[in-house]
Amino acid sequence: MASTLQQAEKLSGWWMQESVEGDITNWLSSEGVGFVMRQAAWAAGYGCKKNRLGLLIADGKVFSEQHMDNAGRFRGRFKIGGEKEKVVVCEGAPLIPTRTAWIEGEWKDGALEMIVWDESKTKKLREAKRSMSEDGNELTTVATMFLTDGSEAVVTTKHSRIEEAPLTLDKCNGWCPVLVSGDMPSIGKPDLLSSLSDSLEAVFPSAAALQESMEQSFKKKELGEGEMAVSYAEVSDSEFTNEVTKADGSKYTLSYQLDGETSTWRVGFLVDGVEYITYYLRIVTDPLRVEGWCILPNGDRVSQPAISAIEDTLGLALKCFLKK
């Protein structure tokens, strides 16, 4: 088993999508993507030279981080040879809405074989086989999609290895402890869409503990990739800012405001005093969860960008909570 997992670990690294081939039209059509949008996706190369995939296979688990063009960042994990685990299916996003599903996988005959099941865990959505070239520089994923009409579509995606700081077990273990889904009906306002975490009841003992941990994670912002310094300034008991200086000398500011009555954080992203996007993160109960959405400069409300905001916030909030 150990030698088998050592073979699997060689897939770890960052990969750039180079090509997508196969029965793409039938797959997208089955998912409700119309002709015009299919043509637009084809003209854009289906995300080639843009979509990136980060893999870490360690401790008997597969950690993945996908950066999808115009769709955002998606993270997932599952244990090799373990039980089905809940994930967000993002393939085809943003043309195909993301959805929750269940995944299981094993290392077999030099490849990582995966099966994705629907939410009931009884219907296969796809099977995929991921393998690497002998020189270690090309990753090939052959996926069989099980379409709504009972037919199948086979799609082959190839990635090339790129030089980028690798994922680490310490970093991946610090990811958000629960799944976060986008385009969900907003709590109390089902006509609006939000991103929503799974239940946090088993992670934080109360809404108050979660609120305090989120505040601490905001006030003690960690440096991100390419960031050099953070300058904290308190405006009031419920409002403060972090000015972030990047390695290239450029700066941006995060402004935080807490509405205590609704347990909602307003987080603005500003450059040179101009707010480019506003995130809203709200703690909801029964069960304990975090809901999020974004407001763009034109006033439009979108949910997908809030996925990574909720994930990062909850990962850091848990870190703060565990330090107590």
Side-chain angles (χ1 to χ4, degrees):
M1 182 65 176
S3 61
T4 297
L5 293 182
Q6 286 175 357
Q7 294 177 26
E9 290 170 2
K10 294 179 180 179
L11 270 62
S12 299
W14 279 95
W15 304 87
M16 177 67 71
Q17 181 179 307
E18 297 290 348
S19 66
V20 182
E21 299 177 343
D23 201 358
I24 304 171
T25 297
N26 280 343
W27 169 46
L28 294 180
S29 297
S30 178
E31 294 288 351
V33 181
F35 174 77
V36 173
M37 295 307 296
R38 294 200 307 272
Q39 288 297 103
W42 170 81
Y46 301 114
C48 291
K49 296 295 185 181
K50 296 178 181 179
N51 293 347
R52 294 180 297 131
L53 169 65
L55 290 175
L56 174 65
I57 302 179
D59 199 25
K61 299 176 183 177
V62 176
F63 299 88
S64 65
E65 180 173 303
Q66 297 188 68
H67 293 257
M68 310 284 288
D69 186 38
N70 296 320
R73 185 197 72 195
F74 300 91
R75 288 172 171 169
R77 73 191 102 188
F78 65 88
K79 184 176 181 179
I80 297 175
E83 298 294 323
K84 299 182 181 75
E85 299 189 47
K86 198 173 183 182
V87 293
V88 171
V89 178
C90 62
E91 282 73 18
L95 294 180
I96 300 174
T98 59
R99 55 185 165 183
T100 55
W102 295 82
I103 190 171
E104 61 181 340
E106 62 177 336
W107 183 262
K108 185 178 180 181
D109 298 328
L112 181 62
E113 297 188 357
M114 299 164 285
I115 302 176
V116 178
W117 304 81
D118 70 354
E119 288 193 273
S120 71
K121 303 183 186 180
T122 59
K123 180 182 178 182
K124 285 185 183 181
L125 298 178
R126 68 187 61 174
E127 294 179 348
K129 185 175 182 179
R130 179 166 285 162
S131 59
M132 188 176 66
S133 61
E134 289 187 6
D135 64 7
N137 291 322
E138 184 177 79
L139 188 73
T140 301
T141 305
V142 180
T144 300
M145 318 292 189
F146 301 103
L147 309 184
T148 54
D149 62 2
S151 63
E152 300 177 2
V154 178
V155 176
T156 299
T157 306
K158 292 190 176 183
H159 292 78
S160 61
R161 189 181 290 277
I162 56 176
E163 292 300 321
E164 194 165 326
L167 298 174
T168 65
L169 191 56
D170 182 61
K171 180 178 180 179
C172 292
N173 283 334
W175 284 355
C176 180
V178 299
L179 202 67
V180 179
S181 303
D183 292 338
M184 304 290 289
S186 176
I187 305 298
K189 298 180 179 180
D191 55 318
L192 298 177
L193 295 179
S194 295
S195 292
L196 189 65
S197 76
D198 279 357
S199 173
L200 293 159
E201 298 281 351
V203 183
F204 295 94
S206 66
L210 172 58
Q211 181 73 276
E212 181 182 355
S213 299
M214 288 175 61
E215 183 171 350
Q216 288 301 308
S217 72
F218 292 150
K219 288 185 174 180
K220 298 178 180 179
K221 179 188 173 343
E222 295 184 350
L223 292 174
E225 185 177 345
E227 295 177 350
M228 187 171 60
V230 177
S231 177
Y232 169 80
E234 191 164 299
V235 179
S236 69
D237 290 343
S238 59
E239 186 176 355
F240 52 91
T241 64
N242 280 319
E243 184 182 66
V244 181
T245 302
K246 303 181 73 173
D248 62 4
S250 62
K251 298 182 179 182
Y252 70 88
T253 299
L254 296 172
S255 67
Y256 303 85
Q257 293 176 294
L258 172 63
D259 182 339
E261 291 186 3
T262 62
S263 297
T264 302
W265 284 95
R266 180 190 186 279
V267 184
F269 176 85
L270 300 90
V271 177
D272 296 328
V274 178
E275 191 160 295
Y276 285 89
I277 189 168
T278 309
Y279 297 86
Y280 290 85
L281 304 177
R282 181 164 72 106
I283 296 175
V284 296
T285 54
D286 299 323
L288 182 62
R289 292 171 291 174
V290 171
E291 176 185 9
W293 64 92
C294 301
I295 301 297
L296 303 179
N298 63 3
D300 286 351
R301 172 174 169 148
V302 292
S303 75
Q304 287 290 339
I307 291 178
S308 57
I310 294 174
E311 288 180 338
D312 291 344
T313 297
L314 288 177
L316 292 172
L318 179 58
K319 186 176 180 179
C320 290
F321 177 73
L322 293 176
K323 283 183 176 179
K324 294 180 180 179

